[in-house]
Amino acid sequence: MYYAILAYHEEGVVESWTKEEDAALMTELLQINDRLVQEKSLGPAARLGSTQSAVTLRGKGAGIVTDGPFAETKEQLLGFYVVDFPTFEAAVEAARDLRRVNPTAVYEIRPISLYIPGAPLESRDEE
C-alpha cells in the first residue's frame, strides 16, 4: 500500500541553517532515501520551496489566486515522500528513521487512497 510521509518544520528555522548545516542534514536524509530505493519502497519525494513563493487557488469557477498558504500552524509542509509498504507500521518506521536524522521535524503518515504516478518530468529552466 502507498503512504505519504509529509515533512513539516518551522520554515524560519530551516531557512536559518547555514549551507553546510543544510548539506549535512540532506546527506543523512539521502542515505535513508538510498536505502528505501534499494528496498524498492520509495516513490517520488520532493523538498518544497518557500511558502513565501507559493499561492493558493480557491473559490468557485476558475477560482481566485491568493498569496501563500495561510494555515494556522507553527510548522509548514516543506516536503513529502511517497512510500510503498505492506503495513502502516512499516511506513511509520520509515518516518521514524527520517525523524532520527531530523529530530526537530514533524512527520505525518497518511495512507494514499489513489496513486497515479504520471510521466517522468524533465526540468525546464525558466526563460
Side-chain angles (χ1 to χ4, degrees):
M1 173 152 195
Y2 291 111
Y3 298 92
I5 299 176
L6 307 173
Y8 293 87
H9 210 299
E10 291 183 51
E11 196 168 45
V13 171
V14 173
E15 290 173 349
S16 74
W17 295 337
T18 65
K19 287 185 180 196
E20 294 78 17
E21 289 170 324
D22 188 64
L25 174 62
M26 289 307 298
T27 297
E28 291 185 64
L29 288 172
L30 289 172
Q31 289 174 357
I32 296 168
N33 283 20
D34 291 345
R35 188 192 84 229
L36 294 175
V37 167
Q38 289 175 351
E39 295 172 359
K40 298 186 188 302
S41 296
L42 183 64
R47 185 176 193 183
L48 301 175
S50 168
T51 58
Q52 299 301 313
S53 55
V55 297
T56 300
L57 175 65
R58 67 176 76 223
K60 296 180 181 177
I64 298 170
V65 176
T66 61
D67 289 341
F70 293 108
E72 294 291 329
T73 64
K74 189 174 182 180
E75 299 94 7
Q76 292 78 39
L77 176 63
L78 299 184
F80 65 88
Y81 302 83
V82 174
V83 295
D84 183 11
F85 287 106
T87 65
F88 184 76
E89 292 75 18
V92 170
E93 192 54 41
R96 283 191 173 121
D97 288 342
L98 295 166
R99 186 164 164 77
R100 277 190 267 284
V101 171
N102 191 4
T104 57
V106 174
Y107 292 94
E108 175 184 348
I109 301 88
R110 187 184 302 183
I112 294 176
S113 59
L114 174 65
Y115 176 71
I116 302 171
L121 296 175
E122 290 186 25
S123 179
R124 290 188 270 174
D125 294 331
E126 291 186 39
E127 296 175 8

